[in-house]
Amino acid sequence: MKFWRKPLDLDQVVIPHGDVIIIKDRCKGCGFCVEYCPKGVLQMSEEFNIKGYHPPIVVKSGECVNCNLCEMLCPEFAIYSVPAPEDETLGGAEESLSTVEATKEEKTWRRTLRAS
Amino acid sequence: MSKVIDRPEVAKEQHPVAPLLRMDRIPHIWCPGCGIGTVVKCFATALQETEVDLNKLAIVSGIGCSGRAAGYMKLDGFHTTHGRAIPFATGLKLARPELKVVVFSGDGDLAGIGGNHLIHSARRNQDLMVILVNNFNYAMTGGQNAPTTPTPAKTSTMPYGNFEHPFNVPHLVASCGASYVARWTSLHVRRMTKSFKEALNRKGFRFIEVVTPCATLYARLNKLGLGLDLMRFYHQESEIRNGADTRDVAIGYQSKIICGKFVDEDRPSYLETMHEYYRKVLGDKYVPTPPEGGMLREQN
Ligand code: SF4
Ligand code: SF4
Ligand code: SF4
């Protein structure tokens, strides 16, 4: 981490570590989370989700500081962060970062949409 | 995959505020790049963090894009006719004073169609928390000119630009007597949430204006880019000035947006004034409404 001034209690500060979870199919690709993540953890992906938008993907796994900013900014309730499990804090957090499926209701909604 | 989720009630494919939303109605209808969802998220977080009793809370909306919020939140709520969110909420509060009543609606609905109700509710210091989502136009009906549209922004009914003088809504309600007045943009997520939390635990007329991007109409008609471009604009051009004189906080077209908590005063609310006055003039003959007295309380 870069500091513009070294904090006096640097040795005591524990930098939190988080996992960011993206509910890919709920995203509408607005880019708020990518723009304002302080650690540049996210990037818009090339891939399309079920609605035809580009959801974000995690590009710097392990850098997330669990600040919740992406969660607060997302207007679609499509991204959130949780504290990373302790033992994965020292690297290897890759596999704990994930993209999850939408809820059952949303799948039903999709089916209705296709049927109509 | 090992994963620790510190909020066990939240299923993995859900979201921390999912318990407060009607998930069967999500995805919502708001456009990509619209900021209303962010305001709903912040309000839901404020409810979770203040741990208010959700059975003693009601949300009332009018018509408009922001008016959909009452339907998306898993709270007792009502989606009223255009502009009538405040009168409905007033009736609710007077009949059930033990409830916390929150009005969540847009600028066209609250300041335009229901402008009269807004000023009188502020004048009475009615016990309501009002969240006004300001996107500078009547978005749901097609981007018509609103009383908050800055000059000379273009709207669908003002294709050559708006020449009408817009309302400075925080000043309007503050001068009428509101006891809590704040303004944020949808980028100020933490401060907005803090304001919601403060306002939830206050009495009297609490007014929070949130400036949000309307990507589809306001931004498109004025060639301002996407929702994200408006967020970047808020990032550059908003200034936090707590306690600012509300006369100085009018919003111009693409000019500085002054944010902050402008008014925070402890003034007797409508119900308190009413009880006090009637006790004085009627003495023992006065039967106050619940929870201070009256029928409903005895039945409970
Ligand atoms: S929680 Fe914070 S650091 Fe982690 S991805 Fe979201 S915005 Fe970035
Ligand atoms: S903020 Fe939400 S909707 Fe916008 S790109 Fe990120 S995940 Fe998608
Ligand atoms: S029309 Fe504007 S305010 Fe309404 S949902 Fe779309 S972007 Fe949001």
Side-chain angles (χ1 to χ4, degrees), chain B residues 29-36 64-66 133 135 137-143 212-218:
Chain B
I29 64 157
W30 296 316
C31 310
C34 175
I36 302 172
C65 294
S66 343
V133 178
N135 53 18
N137 68 116
Y138 284 94
M140 180 162 276
T141 46
T212 61
C214 170
T216 305
L217 290 156
Y218 184 76

Side-chain angles (χ1 to χ4, degrees), chain A residues 20 37-39 41-42 64-70 81:
Chain A
V20 54
C37 169
K39 304 298 287 174
V41 171
L42 306 161
C64 172
V65 288
N66 194 26
C67 68
N68 290 105
L69 194 67
C70 51
S81 69

Side-chain angles (χ1 to χ4, degrees), chain B residues 33-299:
Chain B
C34 175
I36 302 172
T38 309
V39 187
V40 172
K41 162 72 174 86
C42 292
F43 180 60
T45 308
L47 290 180
Q48 283 174 330
E49 289 178 5
T50 43
E51 294 176 355
V52 290
D53 182 358
L54 297 181
N55 291 323
K56 292 262 181 280
L57 187 113
I59 177 166
V60 183
S61 287
I63 299 298
C65 294
S66 343
R68 310 278 308 185
Y72 291 131
M73 296 206 72
K74 207 189 267 174
L75 299 168
D76 288 335
F78 200 78
H79 193 176
T80 66
T81 46
H82 210 346
R84 311 301 169 229
I86 289 182
F88 183 91
T90 304
L92 189 58
K93 180 70 194 177
L94 294 183
R96 298 285 304 274
E98 76 277 18
L99 298 182
K100 279 185 198 297
V101 183
V102 181
V103 173
F104 191 116
S105 209
D107 54 319
D109 185 75
L110 286 172
I113 311 266
N116 204 15
H117 305 301
L118 182 75
I119 56 177
H120 290 292
S121 200
R123 172 180 66 82
R124 293 168 174 148
N125 203 21
Q126 192 62 263
D127 277 287
L128 299 176
M129 170 171 164
V130 177
I131 300 171
L132 182 146
V133 178
N134 187 355
N135 53 18
F136 303 126
N137 68 116
Y138 284 94
M140 180 162 276
T141 46
Q144 289 86 351
N145 213 66
T148 45
T149 310
T151 43
K154 292 192 179 75
T155 52
S156 61
T157 47
M158 290 277 196
Y160 301 108
N162 173 33
F163 53 83
E164 291 176 10
H165 187 71
F167 267 143
N168 170 0
V169 199
H171 183 50
L172 178 73
V173 293
S175 56
C176 292
S179 60
Y180 185 100
V181 181
R183 175 199 278 150
W184 302 106
T185 74
S186 62
L187 185 67
H188 295 97
V189 282
R190 309 237 189 252
R191 292 179 172 94
M192 188 200 329
T193 311
K194 184 163 169 256
S195 261
F196 290 161
K197 289 199 284 193
E198 274 176 11
L200 275 167
N201 289 319
R202 298 285 310 269
K203 51 187 174 46
F205 193 80
R206 294 142 284 164
F207 179 85
I208 299 155
E209 177 186 8
V210 186
V211 177
T212 61
C214 170
T216 305
L217 290 156
Y218 184 76
R220 183 172 56 83
L221 293 169
N222 290 290
K223 302 198 167 42
L224 300 175
L226 305 168
L228 183 58
D229 295 308
L230 279 177
M231 292 290 262
R232 288 189 184 123
F233 169 76
Y234 300 157
H235 194 175
Q236 282 157 14
E237 290 297 323
S238 59
E239 182 182 315
I240 297 173
R241 228 188 275 167
N242 286 317
D245 186 337
T246 50
R247 272 176 297 194
D248 307 331
V249 303
I251 302 180
Y253 177 62
Q254 293 298 91
S255 68
K256 205 171 260 317
I257 301 173
I258 312 283
C259 298
K261 181 166 80 176
F262 305 133
V263 179
D264 188 358
E265 285 169 10
D266 225 358
R267 297 180 45 240
S269 69
Y270 181 81
L271 278 167
E272 286 170 342
T273 326
M274 182 180 84
H275 289 318
E276 195 192 310
Y277 182 73
Y278 280 146
R279 278 205 187 93
K280 203 167 77 196
V281 296
L282 295 175
D284 291 345
K285 277 190 287 179
Y286 178 55
V287 182
T289 47
E292 289 177 40
M295 295 286 288
L296 279 171
R297 187 184 189 193
E298 282 145 31
Q299 284 164 2

Side-chain angles (χ1 to χ4, degrees), chain B residues 5-25:
Chain B
I5 293 186
D6 64 333
R7 291 165 277 206
E9 76 281 11
V10 182
K12 193 165 129 252
E13 71 283 8
Q14 296 248 328
H15 188 275
V17 296
L20 282 163
L21 298 173
R22 296 185 198 276
M23 292 312 285
D24 51 337
R25 307 196 61 192

Side-chain angles (χ1 to χ4, degrees), chain A residues 66-81:
Chain A
N66 194 26
C67 68
N68 290 105
L69 194 67
C70 51
E71 175 185 322
M72 297 299 285
L73 279 169
C74 176
E76 303 294 328
F77 318 106
I79 188 168
Y80 63 100
S81 69

